[in-house]
Amino acid sequence: MEEKIRYCLYARKSSESDERQAMSIDSQIREMKDIAEREGINIVEVRQESHSAKNSGSRPVFNQLLKDIENSLFTGLICWSPSRLSRNAGDLGSLVDLMDKGKLHQIKTHSQNFRNNPNEKFLLMILCSQAKLENDNRGINVKRGLKAKCRMGIRPGMAPIGYLNVMNNNRISEVIPDKERAWVIQEMYRRVSEQGHSGRTLRKWLKEIGFLTRSGKLLALSKIYTTLKNPFYYGEFQYGDEWYKGIHEPLVTKMLWDKVQQQLKVPP
């Protein structure tokens, strides 16, 4: 009599943007348990994790699952779709290798079965590779979109202190001066340029006036120097290896920024 397959139900969801629309972990488990009950599938254990499957070997629960299959604790996998198992070539190769060894007899999804035969393993490889291709293309499209934003003069990411991002549909539509903090940044530049203040002198002054970052912290000395050296304040920014002209309102002139750079080179 053929030994009944011992299945592990594996559910995964990542918080990254590429999987925001994926079915929740609870929904995956509920749906696959219903299928298992209807088809008489023996689920020995349920394992779940919230982790991206983009990179090989990066999921602790999945890594342990592979070891347990190797040690014959499970002989089958049940999951919502192949993309829950792998979005990279390394993890896909590990699954197929376990099938080749006869350790993994079957992978069951909501709509398909993948058994240890050439055609079904080939189909599994195609579907997981398709998930990887979608990931890769999505990453390329994201980078392309960010570059387009830069060419429009809008810097991606959190605005430097003294500015605020204006969001529209979860995207940055413009960067505007932070009325509460912009004047402090301007005064920092003025004090260095006209009075030769050092970073430590500025830090003391910032503490005296109770200046805090948006997260409610005092400005660290390293952050003070980073702020004084940031070309964003006169209207330019670097993203990757390229420089762009911003459309945001500068807080200082290029002449003042250059003068501060020279002043910062002077030994305290």
Side-chain angles (χ1 to χ4, degrees):
M1 183 176 178
E2 185 178 351
E3 182 183 356
K4 193 171 184 180
I5 296 176
R6 299 184 303 280
Y7 285 90
C8 178
L9 195 165
Y10 178 75
R12 180 189 68 80
K13 182 176 171 65
S14 170
S15 60
E16 294 186 19
S17 59
D18 63 312
E19 292 190 358
R20 285 175 183 166
Q21 304 305 317
M23 184 181 285
S24 70
I25 287 178
D26 288 342
S27 295
Q28 292 175 46
I29 293 173
R30 184 170 56 252
E31 291 287 337
M32 298 316 294
K33 279 187 172 181
D34 288 344
I35 291 173
E37 186 175 353
R38 288 197 304 269
E39 300 186 13
I41 290 174
N42 177 32
I43 295 179
V44 178
E45 190 174 329
V46 176
R47 296 188 183 181
Q48 64 185 62
E49 64 185 329
S50 298
H51 208 292
S52 172
K54 286 181 181 179
N55 299 317
S56 175
S58 62
R59 291 172 286 161
V61 174
F62 183 78
N63 291 342
Q64 184 59 49
L65 178 57
L66 294 177
K67 293 178 182 177
D68 290 338
I69 294 172
E70 179 71 42
N71 294 325
S72 302
L73 182 61
F74 310 112
T75 54
L77 282 175
I78 180 169
C79 61
W80 176 250
S81 73
S83 67
R84 300 305 85 206
L85 294 174
S86 174
R87 286 176 177 263
N88 67 80
D91 290 339
L92 172 58
S94 297
L95 289 170
V96 173
D97 185 52
L98 286 169
M99 296 183 101
D100 289 341
K101 291 178 179 178
K103 299 282 188 178
L104 181 57
H105 298 169
Q106 182 167 294
I107 295 174
K108 169 74 178 175
T109 70
H110 77 287
S111 60
Q112 291 167 302
N113 290 320
F114 303 97
R115 291 173 289 247
N116 187 17
N117 66 63
N119 288 338
E120 293 181 17
K121 284 190 292 187
F122 182 62
L123 179 57
L124 174 66
M125 293 169 68
I126 288 175
L127 293 175
C128 288
S129 297
Q130 183 179 11
K132 173 174 169 49
L133 178 62
E134 290 172 356
N135 260 344
D136 292 345
N137 284 337
R138 190 177 289 111
I140 291 171
N141 290 336
V142 167
K143 290 179 181 178
R144 185 181 294 122
L146 292 176
K147 278 200 168 185
K149 205 78 171 178
C150 289
R151 286 193 290 269
M152 291 168 57
I154 300 176
R155 175 184 177 275
M158 181 177 290
I161 190 165
Y163 286 97
L164 296 172
N165 286 339
V166 177
M167 307 300 293
N168 185 14
N169 294 325
N170 292 323
R171 297 185 177 183
I172 303 171
S173 59
E174 61 177 319
V175 181
I176 61 174
D178 179 353
K179 294 180 180 179
E180 183 180 346
R181 297 177 179 83
W183 71 271
V184 177
I185 304 301
Q186 292 170 323
E187 180 65 12
M188 286 170 58
Y189 273 87
R190 189 194 67 80
R191 285 175 176 247
V192 174
S193 171
E194 298 180 6
Q195 302 176 35
H197 281 190
S198 66
R200 287 183 173 79
T201 305
L202 286 178
R203 185 174 59 174
K204 181 179 179 182
W205 170 69
L206 291 171
K207 191 172 182 180
E208 289 172 352
I209 65 173
F211 181 77
L212 300 175
T213 64
R214 290 191 297 270
S215 58
K217 298 179 180 179
L218 292 170
L219 206 60
L221 184 61
S222 60
K223 186 65 175 178
I224 290 174
Y225 282 111
T226 299
T227 299
L228 292 173
K229 294 177 181 179
N230 192 343
F232 189 87
Y233 293 104
Y234 74 77
E236 294 184 2
F237 63 91
Q238 185 179 18
Y239 193 79
D241 297 328
E242 298 183 42
W243 283 87
Y244 301 89
K245 176 69 176 176
I247 58 172
H248 59 279
E249 178 185 337
L251 295 188
V252 300
T253 64
K254 177 64 163 60
M255 184 180 297
L256 175 58
W257 188 86
D258 286 339
K259 189 173 181 181
V260 167
Q261 306 318 298
Q262 290 300 317
Q263 187 64 39
L264 291 176
K265 294 178 181 178
V266 177

